[in-house]
Amino acid sequence: YPTSTERRIEFFMKHIAGRAGCYIGVGTEQNLGFIAKAKSEFAWLMDFDPVIVRVNKIHILFLQLAPDYAEFKRLWQRKNKKESFELVKKHFETEPDFEIIKQAWETAHQNYSGVTERLNEIEYMNKTFGLITFSNSAEEYNYVHTMARDGRLQALNGDLMGTKSMLSVASAATKMNCPIRILYMSNAEEYFRYPENFRKNLLALPVDSKSLVIRTMTSGTKSTFGFPEGEKYPDTYPFHYNLQPIENIKLWMKFRAYISTVAMLQKRTTLEKGFSLLTATPQESGFTETGDITTKPPGAW
């Protein structure tokens, strides 16, 4: 997915505003809005898909080159594809991953779900849902523009369940004395049940009381959790939007259970339709365990 399909990200914005610290996020352009809102001091855009990593490298290049959002958007518009690629080529042609960058360039311009369409959709989200982000706030665009020019916005290959990248980021953030204040995982957690490597990676992150997980999910959304108005795919894969303190998810990661996100969110607090906060511990959610054996409450998963 070279772009996000999450439409109601404005839910997150007032909760992450001004949290500063360091940032880790998967995916592509949605991270730019979160980083600008949080005023993150350093950000790692991490993905296990090498093509998505290169889409982010191009985003960072265009942020460096474009003094304002209008120029950033112009560089991505399909009608300017040939001209803009010359800038990409000039910057990356001697890099060892240039073939992947060319693939990322084509992926980012695919019909119907390319970056051009997503930037148009973000402007629709501005008007329809009141989203204030880098597309309609000069101050927020300038923030990510400056981060990119200063080298504080990095794209890297990384797997949330890997054994190197997340631990390397955790080590770097610790040395910088920069707690991870925002961890954005989109709906990646739906695809696993918190294996050991993921738990180690989460537990290694330097965090404090201001640190938040921001996530989306589609599992159980139509039957249990609910979703907001205006979702892009309400009949198939609407999103539920959720916040969780990282200190809280660390408690779950220490809990020896083969849990799912659906199970973890049973005791969420609804903030708005389709948007919730999770602060309940495993014990408060009705889970008990002896050693590595976990007993779940009825209907937990």
Side-chain angles (χ1 to χ4, degrees):
Y1 298 97
T3 61
S4 173
T5 57
E6 298 162 349
R7 274 192 174 173
R8 300 302 307 272
I9 58 174
E10 88 282 354
F11 285 140
F12 293 137
M13 295 309 195
K14 68 180 179 181
H15 297 275
I16 68 175
R19 290 194 177 239
C22 281
Y23 177 101
I24 302 172
V26 303
T28 54
E29 88 297 321
Q30 65 270 53
N31 291 287
L32 304 180
F34 299 146
I35 291 163
K37 189 67 67 176
K39 299 294 184 288
S40 302
E41 299 161 46
F42 198 98
W44 291 274
L45 309 185
M46 190 178 75
D47 208 282
F48 70 90
D49 185 335
V51 172
I52 297 307
V53 175
R54 274 64 183 190
V55 172
N56 281 329
K57 289 180 83 169
I58 299 169
H59 274 310
I60 292 168
L61 172 63
F62 285 177
L63 284 171
Q64 292 169 342
L65 296 175
D68 55 32
Y69 173 74
E71 176 63 10
F72 177 80
K73 183 180 181 182
R74 191 191 72 80
L75 290 172
W76 273 117
Q77 286 178 321
R78 199 170 279 107
K79 66 181 181 180
N80 301 318
K81 183 181 178 185
K82 184 176 180 180
E83 174 194 346
S84 295
F85 181 69
E86 290 305 309
L87 297 173
V88 173
K89 183 178 179 181
K90 179 180 178 181
H91 189 82
F92 293 117
E93 190 172 21
T94 60
E95 298 292 324
D97 61 348
F98 185 54
E99 289 302 314
I100 307 177
I101 288 171
K102 289 195 292 184
Q103 183 182 350
W105 180 251
E106 295 303 323
T107 300
H109 287 86
Q110 64 190 21
N111 290 332
Y112 308 114
S113 60
V115 175
T116 292
E117 286 74 24
R118 178 59 176 179
L119 295 180
N120 289 338
E121 186 170 40
I122 289 174
E123 292 170 14
Y124 165 82
M125 292 150 61
N126 300 152
K127 296 173 183 177
T128 306
F129 308 121
L131 173 66
I132 305 298
T133 189
F134 68 97
S135 64
N136 63 345
S137 165
E139 187 272 333
E140 293 195 11
Y141 178 84
N142 189 60
Y143 191 86
V144 285
H145 166 70
T146 302
M147 281 193 73
R149 296 194 66 173
D150 290 349
R152 293 185 289 117
L153 190 56
Q154 299 286 320
L156 74 156
N157 292 305
D159 187 341
L160 293 170
M161 297 183 289
T163 60
K164 295 180 180 179
S165 51
M166 282 284 284
L167 294 178
S168 295
V169 167
S171 176
T174 300
K175 289 176 183 177
M176 293 163 60
N177 194 28
C178 187
I180 303 298
R181 289 277 173 76
I182 305 294
L183 172 61
Y184 166 68
M185 294 190 284
S186 187
N187 65 325
E189 295 162 279
E190 294 183 305
Y191 297 97
F192 53 81
R193 288 201 171 196
Y194 303 111
E196 190 65 23
N197 284 345
F198 180 89
R199 292 169 185 254
K200 288 179 179 178
N201 291 337
L202 263 288
L203 291 170
L205 296 178
V207 301
D208 60 19
S209 60
K210 294 183 179 180
S211 301
L212 278 178
V213 170
I214 57 176
R215 64 162 64 85
T216 57
M217 56 190 296
T218 60
S219 297
T221 297
K222 295 181 73 173
S223 62
T224 304
F225 299 109
F227 59 92
E229 302 298 328
E231 281 295 278
K232 189 168 186 176
Y233 302 113
D235 297 328
T236 51
Y237 298 107
F239 288 107
H240 181 83
Y241 298 76
N242 177 257
L243 301 168
Q244 181 183 18
I246 300 182
E247 290 181 336
N248 180 266
I249 196 174
K250 283 195 174 195
L251 296 177
W252 285 88
M253 294 303 97
K254 293 175 183 176
F255 192 75
R256 307 310 306 170
Y258 291 99
I259 54 174
S260 66
T261 314
V262 171
M264 194 165 63
L265 265 66
Q266 293 297 312
K267 292 292 185 179
R268 71 202 177 280
T269 298
T270 298
L271 301 177
E272 296 184 52
K273 183 182 179 183
F275 179 43
S276 65
L277 169 69
L278 175 62
T279 58
T281 66
Q283 294 81 2
E284 290 169 342
S285 299
F287 289 85
T288 59
E289 65 179 355
T290 302
D292 286 346
I293 300 173
T294 300
T295 302
K296 60 182 176 61
W301 68 77

Coordinates of all heavy atoms in Angstrom, one line a residue, residues 183-240:
L183 N 4.1 5.8 18.9 CA 4.3 4.6 18.1 C 3.1 4.3 17.3 O 2.0 4.0 17.9 CB 4.6 3.4 19.1 CG 4.7 2.0 18.4 CD1 5.8 2.0 17.4 CD2 4.9 0.9 19.5
Y184 N 3.2 4.5 16.0 CA 2.0 4.3 15.1 C 2.2 3.0 14.4 O 3.2 2.8 13.6 CB 2.0 5.5 14.1 CG 1.0 5.2 12.9 CD1 -0.3 5.1 13.1 CD2 1.6 5.0 11.7 CE1 -1.2 4.8 12.0 CE2 0.7 4.8 10.6 CZ -0.6 4.7 10.8 OH -1.5 4.4 9.7
M185 N 1.3 2.1 14.6 CA 1.4 0.8 14.0 C 0.3 0.5 12.9 O 0.1 -0.6 12.5 CB 1.4 -0.3 15.1 CG 2.6 -0.3 15.9 SD 2.8 -1.7 17.1 CE 1.6 -1.3 18.3
S186 N -0.5 1.5 12.6 CA -1.7 1.3 11.7 C -2.4 0.1 12.2 O -2.7 0.0 13.4 CB -1.1 1.1 10.3 OG -2.2 1.1 9.3
N187 N -2.7 -0.9 11.3 CA -3.5 -2.1 11.7 C -2.6 -3.3 11.6 O -3.0 -4.4 11.5 CB -4.7 -2.3 10.9 CG -4.5 -2.6 9.4 OD1 -3.5 -2.0 8.9 ND2 -5.3 -3.4 8.8
A188 N -1.2 -3.1 11.7 CA -0.3 -4.2 11.6 C -0.5 -5.3 12.7 O -0.3 -6.5 12.4 CB 1.1 -3.7 11.7
E189 N -1.0 -4.9 13.9 CA -1.1 -5.9 14.9 C -2.2 -7.0 14.6 O -2.2 -8.0 15.3 CB -1.5 -5.2 16.2 CG -0.4 -4.3 16.8 CD -1.0 -3.3 17.8 OE1 -1.6 -2.3 17.3 OE2 -0.9 -3.6 19.0
E190 N -3.1 -6.7 13.7 CA -4.1 -7.7 13.3 C -3.5 -9.0 12.7 O -4.1 -10.0 12.7 CB -5.1 -7.1 12.3 CG -5.9 -6.0 12.9 CD -6.9 -5.4 11.9 OE1 -6.5 -5.1 10.8 OE2 -8.1 -5.4 12.3
Y191 N -2.2 -8.9 12.3 CA -1.6 -10.0 11.5 C -0.8 -10.9 12.4 O -0.1 -11.8 11.9 CB -0.8 -9.4 10.4 CG -1.7 -8.7 9.4 CD1 -1.8 -7.3 9.4 CD2 -2.4 -9.4 8.4 CE1 -2.7 -6.6 8.5 CE2 -3.3 -8.7 7.5 CZ -3.4 -7.3 7.6 OH -4.2 -6.7 6.7
F192 N -0.7 -10.7 13.7 CA 0.0 -11.5 14.6 C -0.5 -11.5 16.0 O -1.4 -10.6 16.3 CB 1.5 -11.2 14.6 CG 1.8 -9.7 14.9 CD1 1.8 -9.2 16.2 CD2 2.1 -8.8 13.9 CE1 2.1 -7.9 16.5 CE2 2.3 -7.5 14.1 CZ 2.4 -7.0 15.5
R193 N -0.1 -12.4 16.8 CA -0.6 -12.5 18.2 C 0.6 -12.2 19.2 O 0.9 -13.0 20.1 CB -1.3 -13.8 18.5 CG -2.6 -13.9 17.8 CD -3.5 -14.9 18.5 NE -4.9 -14.9 18.0 CZ -5.9 -15.4 18.6 NH1 -5.7 -16.1 19.8 NH2 -7.1 -15.4 18.1
Y194 N 1.3 -11.1 19.0 CA 2.3 -10.7 19.9 C 3.4 -11.8 20.2 O 3.5 -12.2 21.4 CB 1.7 -10.1 21.2 CG 0.7 -9.0 20.9 CD1 -0.6 -9.2 21.1 CD2 1.2 -7.8 20.3 CE1 -1.5 -8.1 20.8 CE2 0.3 -6.8 20.0 CZ -1.1 -7.0 20.2 OH -1.9 -6.0 19.9
P195 N 4.1 -12.2 19.2 CA 5.2 -13.2 19.4 C 6.3 -12.6 20.2 O 6.4 -11.4 20.5 CB 5.6 -13.5 18.0 CG 5.3 -12.3 17.2 CD 4.1 -11.8 17.8
E196 N 7.2 -13.4 20.6 CA 8.3 -13.0 21.6 C 9.1 -11.9 21.1 O 9.5 -11.0 21.8 CB 9.2 -14.2 21.9 CG 10.2 -14.0 23.0 CD 9.5 -13.8 24.3 OE1 8.3 -14.3 24.5 OE2 10.1 -13.2 25.2
N197 N 9.5 -11.9 19.8 CA 10.4 -10.8 19.3 C 9.6 -9.5 19.4 O 10.3 -8.4 19.7 CB 10.8 -11.1 17.8 CG 11.9 -12.1 17.7 OD1 12.5 -12.4 18.7 ND2 12.1 -12.6 16.5
F198 N 8.4 -9.4 19.0 CA 7.6 -8.2 19.1 C 7.6 -7.7 20.6 O 7.8 -6.5 20.8 CB 6.2 -8.4 18.6 CG 5.3 -7.2 18.7 CD1 5.3 -6.3 17.7 CD2 4.6 -6.9 19.8 CE1 4.5 -5.1 17.7 CE2 3.8 -5.7 19.9 CZ 3.8 -4.9 18.8
R199 N 7.4 -8.6 21.5 CA 7.3 -8.2 22.9 C 8.7 -7.6 23.4 O 8.7 -6.6 24.0 CB 7.0 -9.4 23.8 CG 5.5 -9.9 23.6 CD 5.3 -11.3 24.3 NE 4.0 -11.8 24.0 CZ 3.0 -11.9 24.9 NH1 3.2 -11.4 26.1 NH2 1.9 -12.4 24.5
K200 N 9.7 -8.3 23.0 CA 11.1 -7.8 23.3 C 11.3 -6.4 22.7 O 11.9 -5.5 23.4 CB 12.1 -8.7 22.8 CG 12.2 -10.0 23.6 CD 13.3 -10.9 23.0 CE 13.4 -12.2 23.8 NZ 14.5 -13.1 23.2
N201 N 10.9 -6.2 21.5 CA 11.0 -4.9 20.8 C 10.3 -3.8 21.6 O 10.8 -2.7 21.8 CB 10.6 -5.0 19.4 CG 11.5 -5.8 18.5 OD1 12.7 -6.0 18.9 ND2 11.0 -6.4 17.4
L202 N 9.0 -4.1 21.9 CA 8.2 -3.1 22.6 C 8.8 -2.8 24.0 O 8.8 -1.6 24.4 CB 6.8 -3.6 22.8 CG 5.7 -3.1 21.7 CD1 5.4 -1.6 22.0 CD2 6.2 -3.3 20.3
L203 N 9.2 -3.8 24.7 CA 9.7 -3.6 26.0 C 11.0 -2.9 26.1 O 11.4 -2.2 27.1 CB 9.9 -5.0 26.7 CG 8.6 -5.7 27.1 CD1 8.8 -7.1 27.5 CD2 7.8 -4.9 28.2
A204 N 11.8 -2.9 24.9 CA 13.1 -2.2 24.9 C 12.9 -0.7 24.6 O 13.9 0.1 24.8 CB 13.9 -2.8 23.8
L205 N 11.7 -0.2 24.2 CA 11.6 1.2 23.9 C 11.7 2.1 25.1 O 11.0 1.8 26.1 CB 10.2 1.4 23.2 CG 10.0 0.7 21.8 CD1 8.6 1.0 21.3 CD2 11.1 1.1 20.8
P206 N 12.5 3.1 25.0 CA 12.5 4.1 26.1 C 11.2 4.9 26.0 O 10.9 5.6 25.0 CB 13.7 5.0 25.8 CG 13.9 4.9 24.4 CD 13.4 3.5 23.9
V207 N 10.4 4.9 27.1 CA 9.1 5.6 27.1 C 8.9 6.3 28.4 O 9.7 6.2 29.4 CB 7.9 4.7 26.8 CG1 8.1 3.9 25.5 CG2 7.8 3.7 28.0
D208 N 7.9 7.2 28.5 CA 7.5 7.8 29.7 C 5.9 7.9 29.7 O 5.2 7.3 28.9 CB 8.2 9.1 29.9 CG 7.9 10.1 28.8 OD1 6.9 10.0 28.1 OD2 8.7 11.1 28.7
S209 N 5.4 8.7 30.6 CA 4.0 8.8 30.8 C 3.3 9.5 29.6 O 2.0 9.4 29.5 CB 3.6 9.5 32.1 OG 4.2 10.8 32.1
K210 N 4.0 10.2 28.8 CA 3.4 10.8 27.6 C 3.4 10.0 26.4 O 3.0 10.4 25.3 CB 4.2 12.1 27.3 CG 4.1 13.2 28.4 CD 4.8 14.5 27.9 CE 4.7 15.6 29.0 NZ 5.4 16.8 28.6
S211 N 4.0 8.7 26.5 CA 4.1 7.9 25.3 C 2.9 7.2 24.9 O 2.2 6.6 25.8 CB 5.2 6.9 25.5 OG 6.5 7.5 25.8
L212 N 2.5 7.2 23.6 CA 1.2 6.7 23.1 C 1.4 5.7 22.0 O 2.2 6.0 21.1 CB 0.3 7.8 22.7 CG -0.6 8.5 23.7 CD1 -1.4 9.6 23.0 CD2 -1.5 7.6 24.5
V213 N 0.7 4.6 21.9 CA 0.4 3.9 20.7 C -0.8 4.5 20.1 O -1.8 4.7 20.7 CB 0.1 2.4 21.1 CG1 -0.4 1.6 19.8 CG2 1.4 1.7 21.6
I214 N -0.7 4.7 18.7 CA -1.9 5.0 18.0 C -2.0 4.0 16.9 O -1.1 3.6 16.2 CB -1.8 6.5 17.4 CG1 -0.6 6.7 16.5 CG2 -1.9 7.5 18.5 CD1 -0.6 8.0 15.8
R215 N -3.2 3.4 16.8 CA -3.4 2.2 15.9 C -4.8 2.3 15.3 O -5.7 3.0 15.8 CB -3.3 0.9 16.7 CG -4.4 0.8 17.8 CD -4.5 -0.7 18.3 NE -3.4 -1.2 18.9 CZ -3.1 -1.1 20.2 NH1 -3.9 -0.4 21.0 NH2 -2.0 -1.6 20.8
T216 N -4.9 1.5 14.2 CA -6.3 1.3 13.7 C -6.5 -0.3 13.6 O -5.5 -1.0 13.8 CB -6.4 1.8 12.2 OG1 -5.3 1.3 11.4 CG2 -6.3 3.3 12.2
M217 N -7.7 -0.7 13.4 CA -8.0 -2.1 13.3 C -9.3 -2.3 12.4 O -10.1 -1.4 12.4 CB -8.1 -2.8 14.6 CG -9.1 -2.1 15.5 SD -9.0 -2.8 17.2 CE -9.5 -4.5 17.0
T218 N -9.3 -3.4 11.7 CA -10.5 -3.8 11.0 C -11.2 -5.0 11.6 O -12.4 -5.2 11.5 CB -10.2 -4.0 9.5 OG1 -9.3 -5.1 9.4 CG2 -9.7 -2.8 8.9
S219 N -10.4 -5.8 12.3 CA -10.9 -7.0 12.9 C -12.0 -6.7 14.0 O -11.6 -5.9 14.9 CB -9.8 -7.9 13.5 OG -8.9 -8.4 12.5
G220 N -13.2 -7.2 13.9 CA -14.2 -6.9 14.9 C -14.8 -5.6 14.8 O -15.7 -5.2 15.6
T221 N -14.4 -4.8 13.8 CA -14.9 -3.4 13.8 C -16.4 -3.3 13.5 O -17.1 -2.6 14.1 CB -14.1 -2.6 12.7 OG1 -12.7 -2.6 13.1 CG2 -14.6 -1.2 12.6
K222 N -16.8 -4.2 12.5 CA -18.2 -4.1 12.2 C -19.1 -4.8 13.2 O -20.3 -4.4 13.4 CB -18.4 -4.7 10.8 CG -17.7 -4.0 9.7 CD -18.0 -4.6 8.3 CE -19.4 -4.4 7.8 NZ -19.6 -4.9 6.4
S223 N -18.6 -5.8 13.9 CA -19.4 -6.6 14.8 C -19.3 -6.1 16.3 O -20.3 -6.2 17.0 CB -19.0 -8.0 14.8 OG -17.7 -8.2 15.2
T224 N -18.2 -5.5 16.7 CA -17.9 -5.3 18.1 C -17.5 -3.8 18.4 O -18.1 -3.2 19.2 CB -16.8 -6.2 18.6 OG1 -17.2 -7.6 18.3 CG2 -16.6 -6.0 20.1
F225 N -16.5 -3.3 17.7 CA -15.9 -2.1 18.1 C -16.5 -0.8 17.5 O -16.5 0.2 18.1 CB -14.4 -2.1 17.8 CG -13.6 -3.2 18.5 CD1 -13.2 -4.3 17.8 CD2 -13.4 -3.2 19.8 CE1 -12.5 -5.4 18.4 CE2 -12.8 -4.2 20.5 CZ -12.3 -5.3 19.8
G226 N -17.1 -1.0 16.4 CA -17.7 0.2 15.7 C -16.7 1.0 14.9 O -15.5 0.9 15.1
F227 N -17.2 1.8 14.0 CA -16.4 2.6 13.1 C -17.1 3.9 12.9 O -18.3 4.0 13.0 CB -16.1 1.9 11.8 CG -17.2 1.5 11.0 CD1 -17.7 2.4 10.0 CD2 -17.9 0.3 11.2 CE1 -18.8 2.0 9.2 CE2 -19.0 -0.1 10.4 CZ -19.4 0.8 9.4
P228 N -16.3 5.0 12.6 CA -17.0 6.3 12.4 C -17.6 6.5 11.1 O -17.3 5.7 10.1 CB -15.8 7.2 12.6 CG -14.6 6.4 12.1 CD -14.9 5.0 12.5
E229 N -18.3 7.5 11.0 CA -18.9 7.9 9.6 C -17.7 8.3 8.7 O -16.7 8.8 9.2 CB -19.9 9.1 9.8 CG -21.1 8.8 10.7 CD -21.9 7.6 10.2 OE1 -22.0 7.4 9.0 OE2 -22.5 6.9 11.1
G230 N -17.9 8.1 7.4 CA -17.0 8.7 6.5 C -15.8 7.7 6.1 O -14.9 8.1 5.4
E231 N -15.9 6.5 6.6 CA -14.8 5.6 6.2 C -14.8 5.3 4.7 O -15.9 5.3 4.1 CB -15.0 4.2 7.0 CG -14.5 4.3 8.4 CD -13.0 4.5 8.5 OE1 -12.2 3.5 8.3 OE2 -12.6 5.6 8.7
K232 N -13.6 5.0 4.2 CA -13.5 4.9 2.8 C -14.2 3.6 2.3 O -14.8 3.6 1.2 CB -12.0 4.9 2.4 CG -11.8 4.9 0.9 CD -10.3 5.2 0.5 CE -10.2 5.4 -1.0 NZ -8.8 5.7 -1.3
Y233 N -14.1 2.5 3.1 CA -14.7 1.2 2.7 C -15.6 0.7 3.8 O -15.3 -0.3 4.5 CB -13.6 0.2 2.4 CG -12.6 0.6 1.3 CD1 -11.3 0.9 1.6 CD2 -13.0 0.7 0.0 CE1 -10.4 1.3 0.6 CE2 -12.2 1.2 -1.0 CZ -10.9 1.4 -0.7 OH -10.0 1.8 -1.7
P234 N -16.7 1.4 4.1 CA -17.6 1.1 5.2 C -18.2 -0.3 5.1 O -18.5 -0.9 6.1 CB -18.6 2.2 5.2 CG -18.7 2.6 3.8 CD -17.2 2.5 3.3
D235 N -18.4 -0.8 3.9 CA -19.0 -2.1 3.7 C -18.1 -3.3 3.8 O -18.5 -4.5 3.9 CB -19.8 -2.2 2.3 CG -20.9 -1.2 2.2 OD1 -21.5 -0.9 3.3 OD2 -21.1 -0.6 1.1
T236 N -16.8 -3.0 3.7 CA -15.8 -4.1 3.7 C -14.8 -4.0 4.8 O -14.8 -4.8 5.7 CB -15.1 -4.2 2.4 OG1 -14.6 -2.9 2.0 CG2 -16.0 -4.7 1.3
Y237 N -14.0 -3.0 4.8 CA -12.9 -2.9 5.8 C -12.9 -1.5 6.4 O -11.9 -0.7 6.3 CB -11.5 -3.2 5.1 CG -11.4 -4.6 4.6 CD1 -11.5 -4.8 3.2 CD2 -11.3 -5.7 5.5 CE1 -11.4 -6.1 2.7 CE2 -11.3 -7.0 5.0 CZ -11.3 -7.2 3.6 OH -11.2 -8.5 3.2
P238 N -13.9 -1.1 7.2 CA -13.8 0.2 7.9 C -12.8 0.0 9.1 O -12.6 -1.1 9.6 CB -15.2 0.4 8.4 CG -15.8 -1.0 8.6 CD -15.1 -1.8 7.5
F239 N -12.3 1.2 9.5 CA -11.3 1.2 10.6 C -12.0 1.6 11.9 O -12.8 2.5 11.9 CB -10.2 2.1 10.3 CG -9.2 1.6 9.2 CD1 -9.2 2.2 8.0 CD2 -8.3 0.6 9.5 CE1 -8.4 1.8 7.0 CE2 -7.5 0.1 8.5 CZ -7.5 0.7 7.2
H240 N -11.5 1.0 13.0 CA -11.7 1.5 14.3 C -10.4 2.2 14.7 O -9.3 1.7 14.3 CB -12.0 0.4 15.3 CG -12.2 0.8 16.7 ND1 -13.4 1.3 17.1 CD2 -11.4 0.9 17.8 CE1 -13.3 1.7 18.4 NE2 -12.1 1.4 18.8

